[in-house]
Amino acid sequence: MLTPLQEMDRRHHLHPFTDHNAMHKSGTQVAVRGDGCYLIDQDNRRLLDGLAGLWCVNVGYSRKEIVDAVTAQMTQLPYYCSFFNTTTEPAIRLAAKLAELAPQRVNHSILCNSGSEANDTAIKLIWAYNKILDRPNKRKILSRTFSYHGVTVATTSMTGLPSCYLPFDLPLPGFIHVPGPYTYGANNGMTHDQYGDWCIAETERIIQHEGAETVAAMFVEPIQGAGGVIVPPDGYLTKLRALLRKYDILFVADEVISAFGRLGAWFASDMWQLDPDIITLAKGITSGYLPLGATMLSDQIVETLNRGGYLAHGYTYSSHPTPCAAALANLKIIEDERLVERTRDDTGPYFQKKLRSLIGHPAVGEVRGYQMIGAIELLPKGGRSELAKSPNTLGVKAAGIAREHGVIVRGIRDLIAMSPPLIATHEEIDELFVAIAKTLDQI
Ligand SMILES: Cc1ncc(COP(=O)(O)O)c(C=O)c1O
């Protein structure tokens, strides 16, 4: 029996990434409140949020500092744009703060509302950049299988997940997928290192086949998140970076998930010395409290773009002062509470230790992760050979069971993914893994 709210939802509300027929049979779950690492639902159940919303609520729910900053900004000036030689103080301060935190060469931000828009903006600016440099045919965009870069037409075209692009007959021409280093999925007998090297060789072969003079950029998540928490082998990203430099192809680090502490660094591309030309950001920049994305550009790209004159790009809500105020308050919490260092030195290693303790469980095919992000590949009774016969639904099934045990994780294909808030304590991480252990026993 649906509640009146669930009934209203069924009638009028289309949800993102949802099978509506399946959902409305049982009724949608209505989230009501947040408290630290916990979400409280319509039945007053406290659920430990092992995914931090959608990999974004880094500082946890109910942070008064952010609410106060947003209230103060909305009271003073709820909105103004950054078009027409105007802007607002929070937008200026946020751009400067990002430049302070980001790798050395990347000092300029154009702001937007989401990760998809940040990546979409990057594509347009890359095309404009090459046009100004008088190489208008250098336009093709590379990305990897199992990558996730968003849902606009162009970012869906980059996303390397057939379930995201096939329903829309994408990718568009000029968007090329090269193999991502998902060794477990490839299941071809190679070690992770060998498969990483094969992916690099294949990427080079594809660049040569397409003609490097037609390839503009490659978008790279340092750890592929929504595609299944794919952690590349050591050295793979360095080799990929060198390869792209060799062919004069821009390196775009999609740090929508990885920035702002999740990997124990402000920026994964700094930690792993990837020297990106462009970085795209969203999610943890406000811990999800308000929508905000950023495309950060190197000095050299901005100098070139400036030579092109008028920059005909931007959204009504680009540099909106209220999300910028939320971001500044959020970044201050991350700094004041030393959440980056805490993740690096304490909670991240603890989370990984707990994750790795599951190796050997008969329902576990592999665990992967880095600091405060992780995934468990699930196995049915009978093992991997049985998996091949099933329709890739173990992850969603396991996430449902985990929820019954009081924790939220994400089911993807035959795996579950986790990325708890960075404020999680050892006790909360223990609670998460107790529920996961029960889930594995049951599945
Ligand atoms: C790496 C990455 N890039 C881009 C996006 C798209 O961000 P948004 O959903 O804010 O458009 C996501 C979202 O999950 C992401 O994980």
Side-chain angles (χ1 to χ4, degrees):
M1 175 76 177
L2 300 186
T3 65
L5 206 56
Q6 287 171 324
E7 183 54 31
M8 215 186 288
D9 186 68
R10 187 185 67 78
R11 282 212 216 141
H12 302 293
H13 185 197
L14 285 177
H15 296 220
F17 284 99
T18 295
D19 177 338
H20 288 79
N21 294 320
M23 178 180 72
H24 290 305
K25 265 191 208 141
S26 50
T28 186
Q29 291 149 343
V30 183
V32 178
R33 270 188 307 121
D35 175 24
C37 292
Y38 293 85
L39 201 70
I40 293 100
D41 74 6
Q42 78 270 22
D43 301 323
N44 222 13
R45 279 192 78 202
R46 271 174 83 79
L47 296 160
L48 178 63
D49 188 356
L51 197 69
L54 277 177
W55 334 78
C56 57
V57 189
N58 289 9
V59 300
Y61 298 96
S62 64
R63 299 304 301 249
K64 192 169 177 310
E65 303 91 318
I66 303 179
V67 177
D68 286 347
V70 165
T71 308
Q73 183 57 45
M74 291 200 83
T75 308
Q76 187 181 317
L77 180 65
Y79 169 75
Y80 201 71
C81 68
S82 288
F83 286 40
F84 317 134
N85 301 5
T86 314
T87 191
T88 58
E89 183 173 339
I92 299 172
R93 291 201 182 282
L94 180 60
K97 186 72 197 171
L98 292 174
E100 178 196 316
L101 296 171
Q104 220 184 358
R105 258 176 358 108
V106 181
N107 289 308
H108 311 265
S109 290
I110 179 161
L111 303 174
C112 59
N113 310 289
S114 67
S116 300
E117 287 180 1
N119 282 329
D120 209 277
T121 295
I123 295 167
K124 275 181 76 181
L125 296 184
I126 288 163
W127 286 343
Y129 166 80
N130 277 331
K131 195 165 150 69
I132 293 164
L133 290 179
D134 203 19
R135 43 190 202 186
N137 296 328
K138 201 165 168 67
R139 276 178 74 85
K140 289 179 191 160
I141 303 288
L142 302 183
S143 59
R144 296 175 296 171
T145 52
F146 299 99
S147 66
Y148 185 85
H149 298 291
V151 295
T152 63
V153 173
T155 56
T156 299
S157 293
M158 289 203 291
T159 290
L161 298 168
S163 60
C164 291
Y165 59 76
L166 287 181
F168 308 101
D169 280 342
L170 292 169
L172 294 174
F175 287 84
I176 293 144
H177 299 170
V178 304
Y182 183 25
T183 307
Y184 181 85
N187 196 22
N188 58 8
M190 287 188 194
T191 64
H192 200 28
D193 284 342
Q194 285 167 342
Y195 191 59
D197 284 344
W198 181 83
C199 290
I200 296 286
E202 190 63 6
T203 303
E204 179 158 27
R205 189 191 65 76
I206 292 169
I207 291 170
Q208 288 173 349
H209 172 79
E210 295 292 332
E213 69 289 354
T214 69
V215 181
M218 178 157 174
F219 283 65
V220 180
E221 295 164 86
I223 287 179
Q224 294 172 245
V229 187
I230 298 164
V231 184
D234 287 346
Y236 162 90
L237 287 170
T238 310
K239 288 177 196 160
L240 183 62
R241 181 64 186 103
L243 181 70
L244 298 179
R245 185 164 274 134
K246 175 173 160 191
Y247 289 104
D248 192 17
I249 295 169
L250 294 174
F251 184 95
V252 185
D254 178 341
E255 293 232 35
V256 166
I257 290 180
S258 58
F260 308 114
R262 181 144 308 282
L263 303 188
W266 282 100
F267 289 87
S269 50
D270 217 7
M271 175 172 70
W272 288 329
Q273 296 166 358
L274 301 179
D275 188 31
D277 300 292
I278 297 176
I279 304 175
T280 54
L281 301 166
K283 295 193 190 277
I285 194 170
T286 60
S287 285
Y289 278 55
L290 282 173
L292 181 67
T295 309
M296 296 196 71
L297 305 160
S298 72
D299 300 335
Q300 185 253 334
I301 292 178
V302 169
E303 280 157 24
T304 305
L305 288 174
N306 285 345
R307 274 199 269 134
Y310 189 70
L311 181 64
H313 181 80
Y315 306 91
T316 301
Y317 301 130
S318 291
S319 305
H320 193 304
T322 309
C324 289
L328 287 166
N330 171 61
L331 298 179
K332 183 163 176 352
I333 293 174
I334 296 176
E335 267 181 337
D336 291 352
E337 298 184 6
R338 299 180 58 76
L339 292 179
V340 174
E341 295 79 2
R342 184 174 150 198
T343 302
R344 186 189 63 207
D345 301 332
D346 177 15
T347 47
Y350 188 69
F351 178 84
Q352 291 304 318
K353 195 173 99 192
K354 300 293 281 191
L355 184 64
R356 271 150 237 283
S357 74
L358 301 172
I359 296 170
H361 190 289
V364 175
E366 177 176 272
V367 302
R368 298 186 291 274
Y370 194 88
Q371 302 293 21
M372 282 290 248
I373 191 166
I376 305 167
E377 294 276 2
L378 302 165
L379 291 177
K381 235 182 187 159
R384 190 114 198 226
S385 53
E386 289 301 309
L387 200 57
K389 300 176 197 157
S390 77
N392 269 196
T393 51
L394 267 189
V396 170
K397 186 173 164 196
I401 298 172
R403 200 172 175 108
E404 283 164 22
H405 292 301
V407 305
I408 300 172
V409 296
R410 175 154 176 193
I412 302 170
R413 298 187 301 276
D414 292 310
L415 63 90
I416 49 174
M418 296 172 286
S419 69
L422 305 185
I423 55 160
T425 60
H426 285 217
E427 291 69 33
E428 285 161 341
I429 294 171
D430 289 345
E431 188 185 332
L432 176 63
F433 279 97
V434 166
I436 293 300
K438 287 185 194 159
T439 303
L440 292 174
D441 290 345
Q442 232 168 304
I443 205 152

